[in-house]
Amino acid sequence: MEEKEASQVLVHLEVDGKSVSLAEGSTILDAAKLLGVQIPTLCYTPLVEPYAACRLCSVEVEYPRGGGKVVTACNYQVWDGIKVRTDTDKIRRIRGMIVEMLLARCPDIQVLKDLAEEYGIEKVRLEKQEEGCILCGLCVRVCAELVGAHAISFAGRGLDRRVATPYDKSSDACIACGACALVCPTKIIHVEDQEGREIIHEELSLGPSKAITLPFMQAVPNIPYIDTEHCIHFQTGECGYCAKICDRDAIDYELQEETIEVDVGNIIMATGFELFDPSVMGQYGYGRLKNVVTSLEFEHLNCAAGPTGGRILMTDGGEPSSVGIIHCVGSRDENYYKYCSRVCCMYALKYAHLIKEKTDADVYSFYIDMRCFGKGYEEFYHRLLEEGVQFIRGRAAEITDYAIDSDEEGKLIVLCEDTLIGALRRIPLDMVVLCSAMKSNEDAKELSRIFSCSLGSDGFFIEKHPKLAPVSTTSDGVFIAGGCQGPKDIPDTVAQGAAAAAEVLSLIDRKEVEVEAAIAVVDEDRCSGCKLCNTLCPYLAVKYDEEKGVSVVNEALCKGCGTCAAGCPSNAISARHFENRQIFAEIEGLL
């Protein structure tokens, strides 16, 4: 790297009286950025080659031998000894004229209004056209050069010039990456799915808007990964920008997944849970109505490392004046999940407290029953009552944006029954948080098959005994901890994780493991080798011995359930201590 830098030819120039040296082939804009000099531009991004379409980056250049001219900083390469002036009266007049022309075309664009105020433009003298696009071409270039999709392009000429998709229809070339919407300086591009639901929000994105991201906040190890399903490089073979700018060459697109086999004596399953997707409940409008967010998205919003630095903001960047929190979305519901998700009431109360702490918003909490089960939890509930949170007992029936009076215009209206006063209510709100149900992972069935662990009707793993063995399973050496066993909060999860670790350590410390005495045994003289018992055993303890031509029982795995003995057609397998003569003797003793 040092040899490469040493071989570069440096160019020396002056920008607004400040000297700077940078590599040959760099632009005036690069030099200005190095010095911290701000040059306005609407059509530039380091992702693609500069085009100088908006010409707002115009500057004056004075040459060493005399003379000079006005050039665009984003694509004009530096010369040795030139002097650049970025804020002269002439340049301000040029930029003001450009902004005025752009405002005449797009009078409602906020970034142009801000530039007009900066350059003293009080009135646009040109005829307004009420267009939304400034024709900078940034979206077209990013789609073609970076994404490689060529899904949008310029159409028409002269005054009819515009940005469009092929034949003004949805294009199969579009991979919905959102690159065009993210780089658009005027924010008029929206990426929607086929049902018209917005994928890229106008101002605030609560979902994973980038293909490179961390698994989740505060992940350990805190290392990002590439989501290949959304990465442009893996979709089109283009882009590769992240690999170009990574100084440590840590990105390898050719790296393949590998499976590592490790011999272990104990396993702790802590596979967690998934959140219910409320978009299937159309009455709540999630994914269709703006500012309807899930609990996890709201948690992301509250986080200091989130998209707003911990501030509670709506998609337009404004602070809400009223927020609704709906409990039991998908939980305690005959149509989805009948069980209580247990943690929803308390984190809903936490959200209400944070909203009151960070904003002046009115908070409405829609609940069925308030289940504050832990130490100090009921006291926290009463604290929120004193803080002015309004609790409405009744499941919210619908969220709509249909207004029936002026007070509801531009609001989300929650329709609900308040069972405490026996009345139907319409409550206008700026933001609604949906407390979604906790559900088992999609791969829980496969894991239960692999580790011979039982699943309940709710899809969570069943423990060996709810009181005496809450972290053990029916398979020795396999333990469960956390949300995979059932909905639980952080303290219970930590306690269960510590208990599972202690169980593992106790087994390791013993050196030897006691096995069941009452296990199945095979009479090899009677066994015909039909292998029926192999398929019947729920613990995979019976295997077929190819050399002997008979089935054999692995005593360490067998639990003595008797399934194989009951199914053996030749009575070649018997359950030790449960033979016929022993059972008859017990019956005779009873009688």
Side-chain angles (χ1 to χ4, degrees):
M1 181 66 72
E2 293 179 357
E3 293 179 1
K4 182 178 179 182
E5 290 178 355
S7 64
Q8 289 181 341
V9 178
L10 293 180
V11 176
H12 309 281
L13 66 151
E14 187 179 287
V15 179
D16 289 343
K18 300 177 183 179
S19 298
V20 63
S21 300
L22 68 167
E24 188 178 32
S26 303
T27 63
I28 293 176
L29 189 60
D30 295 330
K33 287 183 177 180
L34 201 60
L35 292 171
V37 177
Q38 298 295 323
I39 298 178
T41 177
L42 293 176
C43 68
Y44 173 80
T45 176
L47 303 176
V48 295
E49 287 294 321
Y51 186 61
C54 69
R55 310 197 73 78
L56 271 175
C57 63
S58 296
V59 295
E60 279 191 276
V61 174
E62 180 182 335
Y63 298 109
R65 296 181 179 179
K69 64 178 179 178
V70 174
V71 300
T72 48
C74 68
N75 64 346
Y76 193 83
Q77 293 187 1
V78 294
W79 289 21
D80 204 38
I82 63 172
K83 296 180 179 180
V84 180
R85 302 290 179 264
T86 68
D87 200 32
T88 63
D89 290 339
K90 180 179 181 180
I91 290 300
R92 292 188 65 85
R93 287 197 304 272
I94 292 173
R95 291 177 185 167
M97 181 177 63
I98 293 171
V99 171
E100 187 174 355
M101 289 189 293
L102 291 175
L103 264 178
R105 178 177 176 83
C106 311
D108 297 325
I109 301 301
Q110 187 60 45
V111 65
L112 296 179
K113 293 179 181 179
D114 295 339
L115 285 170
E117 183 179 351
E118 181 180 348
Y119 289 100
I121 300 173
E122 298 178 356
K123 183 179 179 181
V124 177
R125 296 165 293 176
L126 305 174
E127 182 181 353
K128 294 184 178 180
Q129 300 178 30
E130 300 294 339
E131 296 287 344
C133 179
I134 62 173
L135 298 178
C136 68
L138 192 56
C139 57
V140 176
R141 288 183 290 127
V142 165
C143 186
E145 297 179 28
L146 183 72
V147 181
H150 301 277
I152 53 178
S153 59
F154 281 115
R157 296 182 179 180
L159 296 176
D160 296 327
R161 190 170 174 79
R162 57 193 172 85
V163 175
T165 57
Y167 306 104
D168 292 322
K169 296 181 179 179
S170 298
S171 172
D172 293 335
C174 179
I175 61 174
C177 65
C180 55
L182 292 173
V183 301
C184 178
T186 60
K187 304 301 180 186
I188 65 164
I189 299 179
H190 306 276
V191 181
E192 299 177 349
D193 61 16
Q194 293 182 350
E195 297 178 3
R197 294 177 298 193
E198 192 170 10
I199 299 173
I200 305 296
H201 295 293
E202 291 180 358
E203 299 292 340
L204 177 65
S205 178
L206 293 176
S209 58
K210 297 181 179 179
I212 299 182
T213 182
L214 292 169
F216 51 87
M217 290 182 290
Q218 301 171 345
V220 179
N222 198 21
I223 298 175
Y225 73 98
I226 297 178
D227 183 353
T228 56
E229 292 185 2
H230 297 90
C231 176
I232 294 172
H233 178 79
F234 285 95
Q235 295 294 317
T236 66
E238 300 293 335
C239 189
Y241 187 71
C242 55
K244 298 174 185 176
I245 65 172
C246 181
D247 293 334
R248 296 185 177 273
D249 296 325
I251 298 175
D252 182 4
Y253 298 124
E254 305 300 323
L255 194 64
Q256 299 294 319
E257 291 185 2
E258 58 177 319
T259 301
I260 301 175
E261 293 187 5
V262 181
D263 292 330
V264 298
N266 298 277
I267 294 172
I268 298 177
M269 288 197 296
T271 55
F273 63 93
E274 293 180 1
L275 268 187
F276 169 67
D277 181 5
S279 63
V280 299
M281 302 179 73
Q283 66 268 33
Y284 290 148
Y286 176 71
R288 176 172 51 86
L289 300 175
K290 293 181 180 180
N291 299 310
V292 177
V293 299
T294 65
S295 53
L296 195 60
E297 290 173 341
F298 191 77
E299 187 76 35
H300 188 196
L301 194 65
N302 267 291
C303 180
T308 62
R311 298 175 61 199
I312 299 174
L313 302 176
M314 299 182 293
T315 56
D316 62 0
E319 191 174 277
S321 60
S322 55
V323 181
I325 303 173
I326 299 179
H327 297 226
C328 302
V329 176
S331 297
R332 304 178 65 189
D333 192 321
E334 293 291 332
N335 297 317
Y336 299 99
Y337 303 98
K338 298 180 182 180
Y339 55 84
C340 170
S341 289
R342 195 181 182 197
V343 301
C344 309
C345 286
M346 291 316 302
Y347 74 62
L349 294 181
K350 181 191 78 170
Y351 290 163
H353 173 71
L354 289 172
I355 295 168
K356 281 290 185 181
E357 188 179 65
K358 295 183 176 182
T359 71
D360 297 324
D362 296 325
V363 182
Y364 295 83
S365 190
F366 303 86
Y367 70 99
I368 303 174
D369 296 300
M370 195 62 68
R371 298 185 170 181
C372 307
F373 62 91
K375 182 179 179 180
Y377 288 5
E378 187 70 18
E379 291 80 356
F380 185 61
Y381 169 51
H382 286 285
R383 175 182 172 182
L384 288 179
L385 290 173
E386 296 173 358
E387 290 181 359
V389 176
Q390 301 185 51
F391 291 93
I392 299 174
R393 188 175 183 275
R395 188 190 291 272
E398 184 183 2
I399 301 174
T400 180
D401 57 355
Y402 179 74
I404 60 175
D405 56 45
S406 57
D407 293 336
E408 296 180 352
E409 289 292 340
K411 300 277 189 177
L412 297 167
I413 300 94
V414 176
L415 282 66
C416 66
E417 179 187 7
D418 192 334
T419 60
L420 296 179
I421 63 175
L424 298 176
R425 299 180 64 180
R426 291 175 60 93
I427 301 178
L429 303 166
D430 289 329
M431 178 183 286
V432 176
V433 182
L434 304 179
C435 297
S436 301
M438 295 172 65
K439 66 173 187 174
S440 62
N441 283 328
E442 294 293 334
D443 59 356
K445 287 184 178 179
E446 179 64 15
L447 286 175
S448 70
R449 184 191 64 80
I450 293 173
F451 295 108
S452 300
C453 300
S454 301
L455 289 179
S457 59
D458 53 13
F460 292 102
F461 291 106
I462 298 177
E463 62 280 3
K464 189 173 184 178
H465 193 284
K467 295 180 180 179
L468 302 179
V471 297
S472 300
T473 65
T474 50
S475 294
D476 288 340
V478 179
F479 303 92
I480 52 177
C484 66
Q485 188 260 345
K488 53 179 58 68
D489 60 1
I490 294 173
D492 287 349
T493 299
V494 172
Q496 200 173 40
E503 290 280 3
V504 169
L505 287 173
S506 68
L507 287 174
I508 295 173
D509 188 58
R510 273 188 236 166
K511 301 293 190 298
E512 295 180 353
V513 179
E514 296 178 356
V515 297
E516 296 283 345
I519 60 174
V521 292
V522 177
D523 185 345
E524 296 182 0
D525 294 334
R526 287 189 176 185
C527 181
S528 63
C530 67
K531 302 181 184 179
L532 180 61
C533 53
N534 294 199
T535 58
L536 291 176
C537 181
Y539 302 103
L540 306 177
V542 186
K543 299 293 184 183
Y544 183 71
D545 190 329
E546 296 287 349
E547 293 184 4
K548 295 182 179 180
V550 296
S551 293
V552 294
V553 177
N554 186 331
E555 296 182 356
L557 296 177
C558 181
K559 298 300 176 186
C561 67
T563 303
C564 56
C568 182
S570 57
N571 292 325
I573 302 182
S574 60
R576 186 177 293 167
H577 305 305
F578 287 95
E579 296 178 0
N580 290 342
R581 58 185 180 83
Q582 293 171 315
I583 296 174
F584 288 145
E586 291 178 4
I587 296 173
E588 186 178 348
L590 289 173
L591 296 177

